[in-house]
Amino acid sequence: MELLPFFEWMEASLLGQIGKTYGGVYAIGQSLHLMSLALLGGTVLVTDLRLLNVVLRDVPSEVVAENAHKWFKVAVSLIIATGIFMAAAVALRMYYNAFFWAKMIALATGVAFVFFVKYPLLKRDHSTINPVVIKSLAVASILLWFSVAATGRWIGFS
Amino acid sequence: MLNETLLRFAEWLDAQAWSSGLHESYYMYNWVESTHVLTLMIFLGMLFVIDLRMLGLTMTNVPASRIAARLNIPMMIGFAIMIITGLLLYYAVPVRTTQSIWFRIKFVLLIAAGINAWLFHRRMNESVSTWDNDPVAPKRLRFAAGLSLALWAGVVTTGRLIAYDWYDCYRVNSDLIAWAAGCMAE
């Protein structure tokens, strides 16, 4: 499927024009994106470090995972919303940027991992799950979300 | 006087080979900057969780002091990395950064956030035994948690704005902007 026309349309759209014309609004969008990333990082790390028995060892991991997942959904929604706004203003540049596509793949993998693997598994009683599986899940999650953030940051440098 | 001293210090740093070396190194500079930004996930991420607990918005069935105490170490590790990488970023571009209005506002917000955090911890330690298991912290602490979120949002925003040259000293700025940015040299 040819995606170039979609990116051309995005850049010409009202959203793209707002981001292009008003530098201050664009910068606020970037800041919100970063704060959402921080919130996402907090929810992911607090859960994964708990699963690895690094933090909050005296709090049941089910409680940590359940509460963190609620805020993860808020964070990922904000990241996607602000990300669309940021990408719209420079859509054609993004289309030809390899790191943008790397980030999109990492983000899609991360979201799929959380909603189809991690959360369904963590909804169960954690004592019934093999500890090796729990720890592998936590390490995979940290690596995945680090890749999302790192590829995202590198878009600006390439 | 203060601006002159700051600028002289920045120019002294700028004259060092390591400063321009770091600035001109594509990979080193970008890795330092990336580490600075990505550490937000550790430092600010943990702070968000602590503040949300104080506001009664997460893990309300866990004592607030336990959340704050257990997440304090990873948060401080993140903070230390942010400070080190932040100092390196300043070292790489000292003259422009010293005369950046956004950097100056960020610095003031950082000090305000530090004072707020110190007061917050003092108040929390004084009164925690009376409300620790409550789902929501007392009003004063909720205010401090909300203020903490607002101040750090300001730090992130002004940090991001340093990259923009809208008010750099080489531009024609109003007297107020030029004064606040401490413009003495382009």
Side-chain angles (χ1 to χ4, degrees), chain B residues 99-171:
Chain B
Q99 298 186 109
S100 160
I101 188 168
W102 303 118
F103 176 74
R104 288 173 175 230
I105 298 172
K106 179 178 177 171
F107 200 80
V108 171
L109 291 172
L110 268 171
I111 292 170
I115 294 170
N116 183 54
W118 178 70
L119 289 172
F120 178 86
H121 276 279
R122 215 178 63 164
R123 282 182 198 151
M124 192 180 82
N125 292 336
E126 279 168 3
S127 66
V128 75
S129 56
T130 58
W131 59 268
D132 204 15
N133 290 311
D134 294 353
V136 179
K139 205 172 174 183
R140 279 172 71 192
L141 285 165
R142 286 206 309 276
F143 176 77
L147 184 63
S148 156
L149 290 175
L151 287 169
W152 282 105
V155 170
V156 171
T157 304
T158 46
R160 182 63 217 134
L161 288 170
I162 292 172
Y164 292 94
D165 68 347
W166 305 322
Y167 300 117
D168 274 15
C169 290
Y170 72 85
R171 289 183 177 269

Side-chain angles (χ1 to χ4, degrees), chain A residues 35-151:
Chain A
M35 282 182 264
S36 314
L37 177 76
L39 179 60
L40 182 136
T43 64
V44 167
L45 284 173
V46 101
T47 307
D48 295 336
L49 293 177
R50 172 63 190 89
L51 296 175
L52 292 168
N53 276 328
V54 177
V55 296
L56 293 168
R57 277 177 287 192
D58 46 1
V59 179
S61 54
E62 289 89 346
V63 171
V64 177
E66 187 64 40
N67 278 281
H69 187 66
K70 286 177 195 155
W71 283 99
F72 170 84
K73 286 187 280 189
V74 174
V76 90
S77 307
L78 285 170
I79 281 183
I80 292 170
T82 51
I84 290 171
F85 170 69
M86 285 160 59
V90 284
L92 282 176
R93 220 179 80 197
M94 290 301 103
Y95 180 79
Y96 292 108
N97 186 309
F99 281 99
F100 171 77
W101 291 108
K103 172 165 179 172
M104 290 305 107
I105 292 166
L107 180 64
T109 311
V111 171
F113 176 77
V114 169
F115 289 101
F116 298 120
V117 181
K118 189 180 174 187
Y119 189 62
L121 201 66
L122 293 183
K123 265 202 293 192
R124 292 162 47 184
D125 179 350
H126 294 186
S127 62
T128 63
I129 310 169
N130 185 330
V132 177
V133 173
I134 291 248
K135 287 185 173 37
S136 309
L137 200 71
V139 172
S141 169
I142 290 173
L143 290 175
L144 249 174
W145 289 106
F146 171 75
S147 307
V148 175
T151 47

Side-chain angles (χ1 to χ4, degrees), chain A residues 23-24 26-27 30-31 34-35 37-39 41-42 45-46 55-56 58-59 63 67 71 146 149-150 153-154 157, chain B residues 26 30 33-34 37-38 40-41 44-46 48 52 57-59 61-62 66 70-71 74 153 157 160-161 164 166:
Chain A
Y26 189 78
Q30 286 182 317
S31 304
L34 284 175
M35 282 182 264
L37 177 76
L39 179 60
L45 284 173
V46 101
V55 296
L56 293 168
D58 46 1
V59 179
V63 171
N67 278 281
W71 283 99
F146 171 75
R153 186 65 206 102
W154 218 262
F157 300 139
Chain B
Y26 175 79
N30 287 349
E33 199 184 42
S34 298
V37 174
L38 297 190
L40 270 178
M41 294 170 84
L44 208 51
M46 296 296 159
F48 276 153
L52 289 173
L57 297 171
T58 195
M59 290 192 256
N61 50 351
V62 181
R66 193 179 297 173
R70 304 296 182 270
L71 299 185
T157 304
R160 182 63 217 134
L161 288 170
Y164 292 94
W166 305 322

Side-chain angles (χ1 to χ4, degrees), chain B residues 45-93:
Chain B
M46 296 296 159
L47 188 84
F48 276 153
V49 176
I50 295 171
D51 285 343
L52 289 173
R53 169 62 188 90
M54 296 298 163
L55 293 168
L57 297 171
T58 195
M59 290 192 256
T60 48
N61 50 351
V62 181
S65 65
R66 193 179 297 173
I67 301 282
R70 304 296 182 270
L71 299 185
N72 195 45
I73 292 175
M75 185 176 76
M76 292 318 287
I77 291 172
F79 185 69
I81 299 171
M82 289 198 88
I83 292 289
I84 294 166
T85 49
L87 286 171
L88 285 171
L89 289 174
Y90 175 80
Y91 179 63
V93 193

